Amino acid sequence: MMGPAHSLSGAAAWLGVGAAAAAAGHTMPWPVLVAGALICAGAALAPDLDHKAATISRAFGPVSRGLCEIVDKLSYAVYKATKKPGDPSRSGGHRTLTHTWLWAVLIGAGASVLAITGGRWAVLALLAVHMVLAIEGLLWRATRGSSSDVLVWLLAAASAWIIAGVLDKPGNGADWLFTEPGQEYLWLGLPIVLGALVHDIGDALTVSGCPILWPIPIGRKRWYPIGPPKVLRFRAGSWVELKVLMPAFMLLGGVGGAAALNFI
């Protein structure tokens, strides 16, 4: 799928988690719901850091472009080192390592560790990075062109500062889910894991499928492209994505948010 659909699906997924939490009697504080939805929307773009044309690879200028080259080479090296006889030859690392459940868990766990060991500045950095991606994904029409980059970065930095300030207030969710002293913001890794997994599931619906289960082997392949029957798949950017899935994500997100806040 393309960036906007990925971001919408990430936001909708976290709002759905909020609805499930409310139904179970553990309603999320509204700042956690909002922050988590934005983080998840941003994280849902992150697996495409292995593709130079992806939104995330362009979002931070030379820094993200350089990181993209490193991730692509790393992914390709891991693919070559671990592929089985049934896996096809490749010339790059797109839709390999960063599109697996293991990568999602490692990235989320790393973010949680950074949040609880790095202090306020680490939390602000995590929020700011994902705010940039959320803005790029959700407001993609307004952020086209290099002239808007600085404005997006400033908006993301301001948003991160405000959101962290709200979350820090007692009862607003800095210690949501993990309440022991020193565990504030440990939950930040959860929307990051969810966003990456939702991205992978979205890509699995497309023609190429997605090797989500790596490194678990399936038959003669270790990089088996998981997906529905081919007749149900679609091409990225096709009318199915733009006219069916994106409106569905918006509708589901709205319903999930209303349920999470106990409005319905």
Side-chain angles (χ1 to χ4, degrees), residues 146-170:
S146 59
S147 61
S148 65
D149 285 347
V150 174
L151 293 177
V152 170
W153 299 339
L154 290 174
L155 177 58
S159 300
W161 189 273
I162 293 169
I163 289 171
V166 173
L167 287 168
D168 281 341
K169 293 181 180 179

mmCIF file with all atom_site columns, all heavy atoms in Angstrom, residues 146-170:
data_model
loop_
_atom_site.group_PDB
_atom_site.id
_atom_site.type_symbol
_atom_site.label_atom_id
_atom_site.label_alt_id
_atom_site.label_comp_id
_atom_site.label_asym_id
_atom_site.label_entity_id
_atom_site.label_seq_id
_atom_site.pdbx_PDB_ins_code
_atom_site.Cartn_x
_atom_site.Cartn_y
_atom_site.Cartn_z
_atom_site.occupancy
_atom_site.B_iso_or_equiv
_atom_site.pdbx_formal_charge
_atom_site.auth_seq_id
_atom_site.auth_comp_id
_atom_site.auth_asym_id
_atom_site.auth_atom_id
_atom_site.pdbx_PDB_model_num
ATOM 1   N N   . SER A 1 146 ? 9.752  19.829 -1.351 1.00 0.00 ? 146 SER A N   1
ATOM 2   C CA  . SER A 1 146 ? 10.799 20.033 -0.347 1.00 0.00 ? 146 SER A CA  1
ATOM 3   C C   . SER A 1 146 ? 10.616 21.311 0.442  1.00 0.00 ? 146 SER A C   1
ATOM 4   O O   . SER A 1 146 ? 11.129 21.436 1.557  1.00 0.00 ? 146 SER A O   1
ATOM 5   C CB  . SER A 1 146 ? 12.172 20.042 -1.034 1.00 0.00 ? 146 SER A CB  1
ATOM 6   O OG  . SER A 1 146 ? 12.226 21.069 -2.011 1.00 0.00 ? 146 SER A OG  1
ATOM 7   N N   . SER A 1 147 ? 9.900  22.306 -0.114 1.00 0.00 ? 147 SER A N   1
ATOM 8   C CA  . SER A 1 147 ? 9.740  23.579 0.585  1.00 0.00 ? 147 SER A CA  1
ATOM 9   C C   . SER A 1 147 ? 8.934  23.438 1.866  1.00 0.00 ? 147 SER A C   1
ATOM 10  O O   . SER A 1 147 ? 8.977  24.321 2.731  1.00 0.00 ? 147 SER A O   1
ATOM 11  C CB  . SER A 1 147 ? 9.066  24.601 -0.341 1.00 0.00 ? 147 SER A CB  1
ATOM 12  O OG  . SER A 1 147 ? 7.779  24.158 -0.724 1.00 0.00 ? 147 SER A OG  1
ATOM 13  N N   . SER A 1 148 ? 8.190  22.358 2.005  1.00 0.00 ? 148 SER A N   1
ATOM 14  C CA  . SER A 1 148 ? 7.357  22.181 3.195  1.00 0.00 ? 148 SER A CA  1
ATOM 15  C C   . SER A 1 148 ? 8.071  21.421 4.307  1.00 0.00 ? 148 SER A C   1
ATOM 16  O O   . SER A 1 148 ? 7.550  21.329 5.419  1.00 0.00 ? 148 SER A O   1
ATOM 17  C CB  . SER A 1 148 ? 6.075  21.429 2.821  1.00 0.00 ? 148 SER A CB  1
ATOM 18  O OG  . SER A 1 148 ? 6.382  20.104 2.400  1.00 0.00 ? 148 SER A OG  1
ATOM 19  N N   . ASP A 1 149 ? 9.251  20.889 4.051  1.00 0.00 ? 149 ASP A N   1
ATOM 20  C CA  . ASP A 1 149 ? 9.918  20.034 5.028  1.00 0.00 ? 149 ASP A CA  1
ATOM 21  C C   . ASP A 1 149 ? 10.144 20.730 6.362  1.00 0.00 ? 149 ASP A C   1
ATOM 22  O O   . ASP A 1 149 ? 9.843  20.183 7.426  1.00 0.00 ? 149 ASP A O   1
ATOM 23  C CB  . ASP A 1 149 ? 11.267 19.538 4.476  1.00 0.00 ? 149 ASP A CB  1
ATOM 24  C CG  . ASP A 1 149 ? 11.092 18.448 3.423  1.00 0.00 ? 149 ASP A CG  1
ATOM 25  O OD1 . ASP A 1 149 ? 9.969  17.924 3.304  1.00 0.00 ? 149 ASP A OD1 1
ATOM 26  O OD2 . ASP A 1 149 ? 12.073 18.140 2.736  1.00 0.00 ? 149 ASP A OD2 1
ATOM 27  N N   . VAL A 1 150 ? 10.692 21.943 6.325  1.00 0.00 ? 150 VAL A N   1
ATOM 28  C CA  . VAL A 1 150 ? 11.001 22.654 7.561  1.00 0.00 ? 150 VAL A CA  1
ATOM 29  C C   . VAL A 1 150 ? 9.726  22.923 8.361  1.00 0.00 ? 150 VAL A C   1
ATOM 30  O O   . VAL A 1 150 ? 9.704  22.785 9.592  1.00 0.00 ? 150 VAL A O   1
ATOM 31  C CB  . VAL A 1 150 ? 11.742 23.966 7.271  1.00 0.00 ? 150 VAL A CB  1
ATOM 32  C CG1 . VAL A 1 150 ? 11.930 24.771 8.556  1.00 0.00 ? 150 VAL A CG1 1
ATOM 33  C CG2 . VAL A 1 150 ? 13.098 23.686 6.638  1.00 0.00 ? 150 VAL A CG2 1
ATOM 34  N N   . LEU A 1 151 ? 8.651  23.289 7.675  1.00 0.00 ? 151 LEU A N   1
ATOM 35  C CA  . LEU A 1 151 ? 7.383  23.538 8.359  1.00 0.00 ? 151 LEU A CA  1
ATOM 36  C C   . LEU A 1 151 ? 6.866  22.264 9.026  1.00 0.00 ? 151 LEU A C   1
ATOM 37  O O   . LEU A 1 151 ? 6.344  22.299 10.148 1.00 0.00 ? 151 LEU A O   1
ATOM 38  C CB  . LEU A 1 151 ? 6.345  24.076 7.376  1.00 0.00 ? 151 LEU A CB  1
ATOM 39  C CG  . LEU A 1 151 ? 6.619  25.481 6.810  1.00 0.00 ? 151 LEU A CG  1
ATOM 40  C CD1 . LEU A 1 151 ? 5.544  25.851 5.792  1.00 0.00 ? 151 LEU A CD1 1
ATOM 41  C CD2 . LEU A 1 151 ? 6.654  26.505 7.935  1.00 0.00 ? 151 LEU A CD2 1
ATOM 42  N N   . VAL A 1 152 ? 6.998  21.126 8.336  1.00 0.00 ? 152 VAL A N   1
ATOM 43  C CA  . VAL A 1 152 ? 6.568  19.849 8.916  1.00 0.00 ? 152 VAL A CA  1
ATOM 44  C C   . VAL A 1 152 ? 7.393  19.532 10.156 1.00 0.00 ? 152 VAL A C   1
ATOM 45  O O   . VAL A 1 152 ? 6.853  19.123 11.189 1.00 0.00 ? 152 VAL A O   1
ATOM 46  C CB  . VAL A 1 152 ? 6.694  18.713 7.878  1.00 0.00 ? 152 VAL A CB  1
ATOM 47  C CG1 . VAL A 1 152 ? 6.487  17.355 8.539  1.00 0.00 ? 152 VAL A CG1 1
ATOM 48  C CG2 . VAL A 1 152 ? 5.688  18.911 6.758  1.00 0.00 ? 152 VAL A CG2 1
ATOM 49  N N   . TRP A 1 153 ? 8.700  19.733 10.088 1.00 0.00 ? 153 TRP A N   1
ATOM 50  C CA  . TRP A 1 153 ? 9.568  19.451 11.232 1.00 0.00 ? 153 TRP A CA  1
ATOM 51  C C   . TRP A 1 153 ? 9.217  20.346 12.424 1.00 0.00 ? 153 TRP A C   1
ATOM 52  O O   . TRP A 1 153 ? 9.170  19.886 13.567 1.00 0.00 ? 153 TRP A O   1
ATOM 53  C CB  . TRP A 1 153 ? 11.036 19.642 10.851 1.00 0.00 ? 153 TRP A CB  1
ATOM 54  C CG  . TRP A 1 153 ? 11.503 18.736 9.759  1.00 0.00 ? 153 TRP A CG  1
ATOM 55  C CD1 . TRP A 1 153 ? 10.934 17.544 9.370  1.00 0.00 ? 153 TRP A CD1 1
ATOM 56  C CD2 . TRP A 1 153 ? 12.610 18.953 8.877  1.00 0.00 ? 153 TRP A CD2 1
ATOM 57  N NE1 . TRP A 1 153 ? 11.626 17.002 8.316  1.00 0.00 ? 153 TRP A NE1 1
ATOM 58  C CE2 . TRP A 1 153 ? 12.656 17.833 7.981  1.00 0.00 ? 153 TRP A CE2 1
ATOM 59  C CE3 . TRP A 1 153 ? 13.565 19.955 8.750  1.00 0.00 ? 153 TRP A CE3 1
ATOM 60  C CZ2 . TRP A 1 153 ? 13.631 17.730 6.992  1.00 0.00 ? 153 TRP A CZ2 1
ATOM 61  C CZ3 . TRP A 1 153 ? 14.537 19.850 7.753  1.00 0.00 ? 153 TRP A CZ3 1
ATOM 62  C CH2 . TRP A 1 153 ? 14.565 18.747 6.890  1.00 0.00 ? 153 TRP A CH2 1
ATOM 63  N N   . LEU A 1 154 ? 8.958  21.635 12.153 1.00 0.00 ? 154 LEU A N   1
ATOM 64  C CA  . LEU A 1 154 ? 8.602  22.556 13.240 1.00 0.00 ? 154 LEU A CA  1
ATOM 65  C C   . LEU A 1 154 ? 7.262  22.171 13.861 1.00 0.00 ? 154 LEU A C   1
ATOM 66  O O   . LEU A 1 154 ? 7.100  22.199 15.087 1.00 0.00 ? 154 LEU A O   1
ATOM 67  C CB  . LEU A 1 154 ? 8.554  23.985 12.713 1.00 0.00 ? 154 LEU A CB  1
ATOM 68  C CG  . LEU A 1 154 ? 9.904  24.608 12.332 1.00 0.00 ? 154 LEU A CG  1
ATOM 69  C CD1 . LEU A 1 154 ? 9.688  25.974 11.680 1.00 0.00 ? 154 LEU A CD1 1
ATOM 70  C CD2 . LEU A 1 154 ? 10.800 24.741 13.560 1.00 0.00 ? 154 LEU A CD2 1
ATOM 71  N N   . LEU A 1 155 ? 6.299  21.837 13.019 1.00 0.00 ? 155 LEU A N   1
ATOM 72  C CA  . LEU A 1 155 ? 4.986  21.427 13.527 1.00 0.00 ? 155 LEU A CA  1
ATOM 73  C C   . LEU A 1 155 ? 5.107  20.158 14.358 1.00 0.00 ? 155 LEU A C   1
ATOM 74  O O   . LEU A 1 155 ? 4.480  20.032 15.421 1.00 0.00 ? 155 LEU A O   1
ATOM 75  C CB  . LEU A 1 155 ? 4.024  21.209 12.353 1.00 0.00 ? 155 LEU A CB  1
ATOM 76  C CG  . LEU A 1 155 ? 2.619  20.705 12.709 1.00 0.00 ? 155 LEU A CG  1
ATOM 77  C CD1 . LEU A 1 155 ? 1.931  21.669 13.668 1.00 0.00 ? 155 LEU A CD1 1
ATOM 78  C CD2 . LEU A 1 155 ? 1.786  20.509 11.436 1.00 0.00 ? 155 LEU A CD2 1
ATOM 79  N N   . ALA A 1 156 ? 5.911  19.218 13.899 1.00 0.00 ? 156 ALA A N   1
ATOM 80  C CA  . ALA A 1 156 ? 6.104  17.965 14.632 1.00 0.00 ? 156 ALA A CA  1
ATOM 81  C C   . ALA A 1 156 ? 6.782  18.210 15.969 1.00 0.00 ? 156 ALA A C   1
ATOM 82  O O   . ALA A 1 156 ? 6.393  17.629 16.992 1.00 0.00 ? 156 ALA A O   1
ATOM 83  C CB  . ALA A 1 156 ? 6.927  16.991 13.798 1.00 0.00 ? 156 ALA A CB  1
ATOM 84  N N   . ALA A 1 157 ? 7.805  19.072 15.994 1.00 0.00 ? 157 ALA A N   1
ATOM 85  C CA  . ALA A 1 157 ? 8.510  19.370 17.242 1.00 0.00 ? 157 ALA A CA  1
ATOM 86  C C   . ALA A 1 157 ? 7.569  20.043 18.237 1.00 0.00 ? 157 ALA A C   1
ATOM 87  O O   . ALA A 1 157 ? 7.550  19.696 19.435 1.00 0.00 ? 157 ALA A O   1
ATOM 88  C CB  . ALA A 1 157 ? 9.714  20.262 16.961 1.00 0.00 ? 157 ALA A CB  1
ATOM 89  N N   . ALA A 1 158 ? 6.775  21.000 17.760 1.00 0.00 ? 158 ALA A N   1
ATOM 90  C CA  . ALA A 1 158 ? 5.822  21.673 18.640 1.00 0.00 ? 158 ALA A CA  1
ATOM 91  C C   . ALA A 1 158 ? 4.772  20.690 19.156 1.00 0.00 ? 158 ALA A C   1
ATOM 92  O O   . ALA A 1 158 ? 4.410  20.715 20.351 1.00 0.00 ? 158 ALA A O   1
ATOM 93  C CB  . ALA A 1 158 ? 5.153  22.825 17.895 1.00 0.00 ? 158 ALA A CB  1
ATOM 94  N N   . SER A 1 159 ? 4.284  19.825 18.280 1.00 0.00 ? 159 SER A N   1
ATOM 95  C CA  . SER A 1 159 ? 3.282  18.831 18.674 1.00 0.00 ? 159 SER A CA  1
ATOM 96  C C   . SER A 1 159 ? 3.851  17.882 19.729 1.00 0.00 ? 159 SER A C   1
ATOM 97  O O   . SER A 1 159 ? 3.170  17.552 20.713 1.00 0.00 ? 159 SER A O   1
ATOM 98  C CB  . SER A 1 159 ? 2.811  18.036 17.457 1.00 0.00 ? 159 SER A CB  1
ATOM 99  O OG  . SER A 1 159 ? 2.237  18.878 16.495 1.00 0.00 ? 159 SER A OG  1
ATOM 100 N N   . ALA A 1 160 ? 5.094  17.430 19.525 1.00 0.00 ? 160 ALA A N   1
ATOM 101 C CA  . ALA A 1 160 ? 5.724  16.521 20.480 1.00 0.00 ? 160 ALA A CA  1
ATOM 102 C C   . ALA A 1 160 ? 5.859  17.178 21.835 1.00 0.00 ? 160 ALA A C   1
ATOM 103 O O   . ALA A 1 160 ? 5.602  16.550 22.880 1.00 0.00 ? 160 ALA A O   1
ATOM 104 C CB  . ALA A 1 160 ? 7.093  16.082 19.957 1.00 0.00 ? 160 ALA A CB  1
ATOM 105 N N   . TRP A 1 161 ? 6.256  18.428 21.855 1.00 0.00 ? 161 TRP A N   1
ATOM 106 C CA  . TRP A 1 161 ? 6.419  19.161 23.123 1.00 0.00 ? 161 TRP A CA  1
ATOM 107 C C   . TRP A 1 161 ? 5.089  19.290 23.856 1.00 0.00 ? 161 TRP A C   1
ATOM 108 O O   . TRP A 1 161 ? 4.996  19.066 25.064 1.00 0.00 ? 161 TRP A O   1
ATOM 109 C CB  . TRP A 1 161 ? 7.012  20.536 22.850 1.00 0.00 ? 161 TRP A CB  1
ATOM 110 C CG  . TRP A 1 161 ? 7.416  21.279 24.098 1.00 0.00 ? 161 TRP A CG  1
ATOM 111 C CD1 . TRP A 1 161 ? 6.636  22.090 24.871 1.00 0.00 ? 161 TRP A CD1 1
ATOM 112 C CD2 . TRP A 1 161 ? 8.704  21.258 24.727 1.00 0.00 ? 161 TRP A CD2 1
ATOM 113 N NE1 . TRP A 1 161 ? 7.346  22.574 25.931 1.00 0.00 ? 161 TRP A NE1 1
ATOM 114 C CE2 . TRP A 1 161 ? 8.619  22.094 25.870 1.00 0.00 ? 161 TRP A CE2 1
ATOM 115 C CE3 . TRP A 1 161 ? 9.908  20.630 24.419 1.00 0.00 ? 161 TRP A CE3 1
ATOM 116 C CZ2 . TRP A 1 161 ? 9.708  22.302 26.713 1.00 0.00 ? 161 TRP A CZ2 1
ATOM 117 C CZ3 . TRP A 1 161 ? 10.993 20.839 25.259 1.00 0.00 ? 161 TRP A CZ3 1
ATOM 118 C CH2 . TRP A 1 161 ? 10.890 21.658 26.389 1.00 0.00 ? 161 TRP A CH2 1
ATOM 119 N N   . ILE A 1 162 ? 4.045  19.648 23.110 1.00 0.00 ? 162 ILE A N   1
ATOM 120 C CA  . ILE A 1 162 ? 2.717  19.818 23.718 1.00 0.00 ? 162 ILE A CA  1
ATOM 121 C C   . ILE A 1 162 ? 2.170  18.488 24.222 1.00 0.00 ? 162 ILE A C   1
ATOM 122 O O   . ILE A 1 162 ? 1.654  18.392 25.337 1.00 0.00 ? 162 ILE A O   1
ATOM 123 C CB  . ILE A 1 162 ? 1.754  20.458 22.699 1.00 0.00 ? 162 ILE A CB  1
ATOM 124 C CG1 . ILE A 1 162 ? 2.184  21.887 22.396 1.00 0.00 ? 162 ILE A CG1 1
ATOM 125 C CG2 . ILE A 1 162 ? 0.318  20.424 23.228 1.00 0.00 ? 162 ILE A CG2 1
ATOM 126 C CD1 . ILE A 1 162 ? 1.458  22.517 21.224 1.00 0.00 ? 162 ILE A CD1 1
ATOM 127 N N   . ILE A 1 163 ? 2.279  17.454 23.396 1.00 0.00 ? 163 ILE A N   1
ATOM 128 C CA  . ILE A 1 163 ? 1.754  16.143 23.777 1.00 0.00 ? 163 ILE A CA  1
ATOM 129 C C   . ILE A 1 163 ? 2.467  15.600 25.007 1.00 0.00 ? 163 ILE A C   1
ATOM 130 O O   . ILE A 1 163 ? 1.829  15.084 25.938 1.00 0.00 ? 163 ILE A O   1
ATOM 131 C CB  . ILE A 1 163 ? 1.886  15.153 22.598 1.00 0.00 ? 163 ILE A CB  1
ATOM 132 C CG1 . ILE A 1 163 ? 0.901  15.526 21.489 1.00 0.00 ? 163 ILE A CG1 1
ATOM 133 C CG2 . ILE A 1 163 ? 1.639  13.718 23.065 1.00 0.00 ? 163 ILE A CG2 1
ATOM 134 C CD1 . ILE A 1 163 ? 1.096  14.752 20.202 1.00 0.00 ? 163 ILE A CD1 1
ATOM 135 N N   . ALA A 1 164 ? 3.793  15.729 25.050 1.00 0.00 ? 164 ALA A N   1
ATOM 136 C CA  . ALA A 1 164 ? 4.540  15.265 26.215 1.00 0.00 ? 164 ALA A CA  1
ATOM 137 C C   . ALA A 1 164 ? 4.135  16.038 27.464 1.00 0.00 ? 164 ALA A C   1
ATOM 138 O O   . ALA A 1 164 ? 4.001  15.457 28.550 1.00 0.00 ? 164 ALA A O   1
ATOM 139 C CB  . ALA A 1 164 ? 6.044  15.407 25.970 1.00 0.00 ? 164 ALA A CB  1
ATOM 140 N N   . GLY A 1 165 ? 3.905  17.341 27.309 1.00 0.00 ? 165 GLY A N   1
ATOM 141 C CA  . GLY A 1 165 ? 3.477  18.148 28.451 1.00 0.00 ? 165 GLY A CA  1
ATOM 142 C C   . GLY A 1 165 ? 2.124  17.715 28.988 1.00 0.00 ? 165 GLY A C   1
ATOM 143 O O   . GLY A 1 165 ? 1.913  17.671 30.209 1.00 0.00 ? 165 GLY A O   1
ATOM 144 N N   . VAL A 1 166 ? 1.209  17.379 28.086 1.00 0.00 ? 166 VAL A N   1
ATOM 145 C CA  . VAL A 1 166 ? -0.115 16.913 28.513 1.00 0.00 ? 166 VAL A CA  1
ATOM 146 C C   . VAL A 1 166 ? -0.013 15.545 29.180 1.00 0.00 ? 166 VAL A C   1
ATOM 147 O O   . VAL A 1 166 ? -0.603 15.300 30.236 1.00 0.00 ? 166 VAL A O   1
ATOM 148 C CB  . VAL A 1 166 ? -1.071 16.857 27.309 1.00 0.00 ? 166 VAL A CB  1
ATOM 149 C CG1 . VAL A 1 166 ? -2.393 16.204 27.701 1.00 0.00 ? 166 VAL A CG1 1
ATOM 150 C CG2 . VAL A 1 166 ? -1.314 18.259 26.755 1.00 0.00 ? 166 VAL A CG2 1
ATOM 151 N N   . LEU A 1 167 ? 0.752  14.635 28.581 1.00 0.00 ? 167 LEU A N   1
ATOM 152 C CA  . LEU A 1 167 ? 0.887  13.289 29.132 1.00 0.00 ? 167 LEU A CA  1
ATOM 153 C C   . LEU A 1 167 ? 1.555  13.290 30.499 1.00 0.00 ? 167 LEU A C   1
ATOM 154 O O   . LEU A 1 167 ? 1.265  12.432 31.341 1.00 0.00 ? 167 LEU A O   1
ATOM 155 C CB  . LEU A 1 167 ? 1.701  12.416 28.167 1.00 0.00 ? 167 LEU A CB  1
ATOM 156 C CG  . LEU A 1 167 ? 1.000  11.977 26.887 1.00 0.00 ? 167 LEU A CG  1
ATOM 157 C CD1 . LEU A 1 167 ? 2.012  11.388 25.910 1.00 0.00 ? 167 LEU A CD1 1
ATOM 158 C CD2 . LEU A 1 167 ? -0.089 10.951 27.178 1.00 0.00 ? 167 LEU A CD2 1
ATOM 159 N N   . ASP A 1 168 ? 2.446  14.238 30.731 1.00 0.00 ? 168 ASP A N   1
ATOM 160 C CA  . ASP A 1 168 ? 3.175  14.288 31.998 1.00 0.00 ? 168 ASP A CA  1
ATOM 161 C C   . ASP A 1 168 ? 2.296  14.646 33.185 1.00 0.00 ? 168 ASP A C   1
ATOM 162 O O   . ASP A 1 168 ? 2.652  14.368 34.333 1.00 0.00 ? 168 ASP A O   1
ATOM 163 C CB  . ASP A 1 168 ? 4.322  15.307 31.910 1.00 0.00 ? 168 ASP A CB  1
ATOM 164 C CG  . ASP A 1 168 ? 5.527  14.750 31.173 1.00 0.00 ? 168 ASP A CG  1
ATOM 165 O OD1 . ASP A 1 168 ? 5.630  13.508 31.055 1.00 0.00 ? 168 ASP A OD1 1
ATOM 166 O OD2 . ASP A 1 168 ? 6.367  15.550 30.724 1.00 0.00 ? 168 ASP A OD2 1
ATOM 167 N N   . LYS A 1 169 ? 1.159  15.266 32.925 1.00 0.00 ? 169 LYS A N   1
ATOM 168 C CA  . LYS A 1 169 ? 0.277  15.659 34.023 1.00 0.00 ? 169 LYS A CA  1
ATOM 169 C C   . LYS A 1 169 ? -0.350 14.422 34.661 1.00 0.00 ? 169 LYS A C   1
ATOM 170 O O   . LYS A 1 169 ? -0.690 13.465 33.975 1.00 0.00 ? 169 LYS A O   1
ATOM 171 C CB  . LYS A 1 169 ? -0.802 16.613 33.520 1.00 0.00 ? 169 LYS A CB  1
ATOM 172 C CG  . LYS A 1 169 ? -0.247 17.958 33.069 1.00 0.00 ? 169 LYS A CG  1
ATOM 173 C CD  . LYS A 1 169 ? -1.350 18.889 32.596 1.00 0.00 ? 169 LYS A CD  1
ATOM 174 C CE  . LYS A 1 169 ? -0.763 20.217 32.160 1.00 0.00 ? 169 LYS A CE  1
ATOM 175 N NZ  . LYS A 1 169 ? -1.816 21.154 31.674 1.00 0.00 ? 169 LYS A NZ  1
ATOM 176 N N   . PRO A 1 170 ? -0.498 14.402 36.003 1.00 0.00 ? 170 PRO A N   1
ATOM 177 C CA  . PRO A 1 170 ? -1.034 13.221 36.695 1.00 0.00 ? 170 PRO A CA  1
ATOM 178 C C   . PRO A 1 170 ? -2.367 12.766 36.107 1.00 0.00 ? 170 PRO A C   1
ATOM 179 O O   . PRO A 1 170 ? -3.265 13.572 35.859 1.00 0.00 ? 170 PRO A O   1
ATOM 180 C CB  . PRO A 1 170 ? -1.208 13.715 38.133 1.00 0.00 ? 170 PRO A CB  1
ATOM 181 C CG  . PRO A 1 170 ? -0.197 14.804 38.276 1.00 0.00 ? 170 PRO A CG  1
ATOM 182 C CD  . PRO A 1 170 ? -0.159 15.486 36.941 1.00 0.00 ? 170 PRO A CD  1
#
